[in-house]
Amino acid sequence: MPAESPLTLDLTADSVAITQVICDVPSVSGDESLLADLVEQTLAGASHLEVIRDGDTIVARTNLGRERRVVIAGHLDTVPINENLPTRFETEDGVEYLWGRGTVDMKAGVAVQLKLALELTDPIVDLTWMWYDNEEVASSLNGLGRLSRNRPDLFVGDFAILGEPSNGQVEGGCNGTLRAEVWTTGLRAHSARSWVGENAIHKLAPALAKLAEYQAETVEVDGLAYREGLNAVLVSGGIAGNVIPDEAVLTVNYRFAPSRSVAEASAFVTEFFDGFEVAIVDSAEGARPGLDDPLAQQFVRAVGAEARPKYGWTDVARFSALGIPAVNFGPGDPLKAHADDERVDIAQIVHTEVALRAWLTGTSA
């Protein structure tokens, strides 16, 4: 057990107040221990929960013998702080917001989950709550990935909800993502005598022109329309201000519909840049929405909204890879995630709590 933290977390408070408390505990990726300690200590005395810790990932689960089990997860970490803590309340155009790092991505969702984890002692399904570290950094460090390797038994479930910001709506599945490097080579020469060299940067021009002209597809998957994207995100090359470069690299990001596999996406990108040297340097499978599952359909009805596609990659893909249908559902506008003016509409926090509580207890919202 960790040493007792001098901080306290009152989960009997309303979910907006809980959001403010946990946002004011800094937890930039790699520095989640203090918040993880606080979560573990707060839930340790709950008789209806089995509390498990793996690094700075905390799991709390019921074992009520229900017919079905739902996994609900959220990450504890944030991107770096940029003069946007402590949190504060502000009102704009009649809408009240909680402003500050982590309010959107995704401590408001975590606050709702923590409150419900403590209060729901008799849900209609068994629940596994997961709060994990290192989501905002390299996939190899991701706490959910580590937990799946260390304790695969904890990932048994029939349906999963990830509390990523979705404006309080249901976003099914997610696009896959792939990064590729497109290489060109040339011949160094003095720039005053460029005609005796070959400019590797200039050789990227056809690849950039092709990208600029490309119209990305919109692909329907299980009734949801996923918009793809193929874009240059980085260009590197050059030796000095008076040297013709002999090497250049164009980095491309492909966001592909979850109906495609990484292998298919890789083949598409390689063929798209035919004639160039192409290296796939990073990739992650997408996740189909899984909205044909009865639990998923019940959940969408309980929330009272039409399901939408998730364009960005999220950890729902980890559940999908295990055969568990998964959706994103949390308060906050995704466009404000990571922004310096990150802020969450407090009405969305309340809506998320009410909708989740109603579904998990079988009552009307």
Side-chain angles (χ1 to χ4, degrees):
M1 285 288 291
E4 285 295 321
S5 169
L7 295 170
T8 58
L9 181 59
D10 180 9
L11 296 183
T12 66
D14 64 74
S15 52
V16 176
I18 297 169
T19 301
Q20 185 169 32
V21 170
I22 63 174
C23 284
D24 285 336
V25 178
S27 58
V28 175
S29 303
D31 192 25
E32 301 95 336
S33 293
L34 183 58
L35 183 54
D37 290 349
L38 193 59
V39 170
E40 182 183 17
Q41 291 164 11
T42 303
L43 295 176
S47 60
H48 66 291
L49 294 174
E50 176 190 10
V51 179
I52 301 157
R53 183 163 185 162
D54 182 281
D56 285 332
T57 291
I58 309 299
V59 177
R61 62 179 183 174
T62 64
N63 293 290
L64 303 171
R66 300 290 192 254
E67 186 176 333
R68 306 196 75 177
R69 179 175 290 274
V70 172
V71 182
I72 303 179
H75 61 82
L76 298 176
D77 62 322
T78 72
V79 296
I81 298 162
N82 188 19
E83 299 182 353
N84 46 11
L85 282 184
T87 54
R88 67 171 185 261
F89 289 97
E90 58 179 35
T91 302
E92 182 178 308
D93 297 328
V95 178
E96 189 172 6
Y97 297 94
L98 179 62
W99 176 99
R101 176 62 78 226
T103 52
V104 170
D105 194 8
M106 55 165 283
K107 290 184 177 179
V110 168
V112 168
Q113 294 170 4
L114 289 170
K115 182 173 180 62
L116 294 178
L118 182 68
E119 293 185 356
L120 298 186
T121 59
D122 190 31
I124 61 173
V125 292
D126 264 313
L127 294 169
T128 299
W129 305 92
M130 296 177 172
W131 301 286
Y132 59 102
D133 58 294
N134 282 302
E135 189 271 349
E136 299 288 5
V137 288
S139 179
S140 60
L141 300 174
N142 186 291
L144 203 62
R146 184 189 65 248
L147 184 67
S148 69
R149 295 188 295 271
N150 293 345
R151 292 293 306 271
D153 57 300
L154 297 178
F155 285 76
V156 173
D158 301 288
F159 181 56
I161 301 169
L162 193 67
E164 287 285 356
S166 62
N167 274 317
Q169 302 297 313
V170 176
E171 293 183 336
C174 68
N175 274 338
T177 183
L178 173 153
R179 279 189 301 114
E181 292 180 345
V182 180
W183 292 74
T184 56
T185 56
L187 181 66
R188 290 193 193 190
H190 195 296
S191 61
R193 303 170 188 85
S194 59
W195 59 88
V196 301
E198 293 181 22
N199 194 311
I201 293 178
H202 290 181
K203 287 184 176 182
L204 286 176
L208 288 167
K210 191 171 184 180
L211 276 175
E213 295 170 359
Y214 178 71
Q215 297 293 317
E217 292 185 64
T218 297
V219 181
E220 185 170 310
V221 182
D222 297 343
L224 298 184
Y226 289 84
R227 184 172 179 175
E228 297 192 329
L230 182 66
N231 293 281
V233 293
L234 184 67
V235 178
S236 59
I239 299 99
N242 60 354
V243 179
I244 299 302
D246 63 345
E247 185 177 271
V249 183
L250 169 65
T251 303
V252 175
N253 182 217
Y254 180 32
R255 299 288 177 148
F256 54 93
S259 55
R260 306 187 200 274
S261 67
V262 164
E264 291 168 335
S266 300
F268 167 77
V269 171
T270 301
E271 183 178 349
F272 185 87
F273 292 107
D274 184 39
F276 292 89
E277 182 181 348
V278 179
I280 308 301
V281 296
D282 187 38
S283 62
E285 300 279 1
R288 299 184 75 96
L291 295 174
D292 53 347
D293 183 271
L295 268 179
Q297 294 171 0
Q298 292 170 15
F299 178 68
V300 172
R301 288 195 298 270
V303 172
E306 183 178 350
R308 304 171 179 176
K310 186 71 169 180
Y311 296 131
W313 189 91
T314 75
D315 279 310
V316 294
R318 298 185 188 277
F319 293 104
S320 180
L322 296 171
I324 303 172
V327 298
N328 303 277
F329 177 68
D333 183 348
L335 296 178
K336 287 296 184 182
H338 303 184
D340 287 341
D341 65 340
E342 185 174 353
R343 60 182 188 173
V344 62
D345 180 344
I346 65 172
Q348 288 188 6
I349 303 177
V350 175
H351 163 74
T352 303
E353 180 192 337
V354 169
L356 269 177
R357 185 189 298 275
W359 181 62
L360 293 172
T361 58
T363 59
S364 299

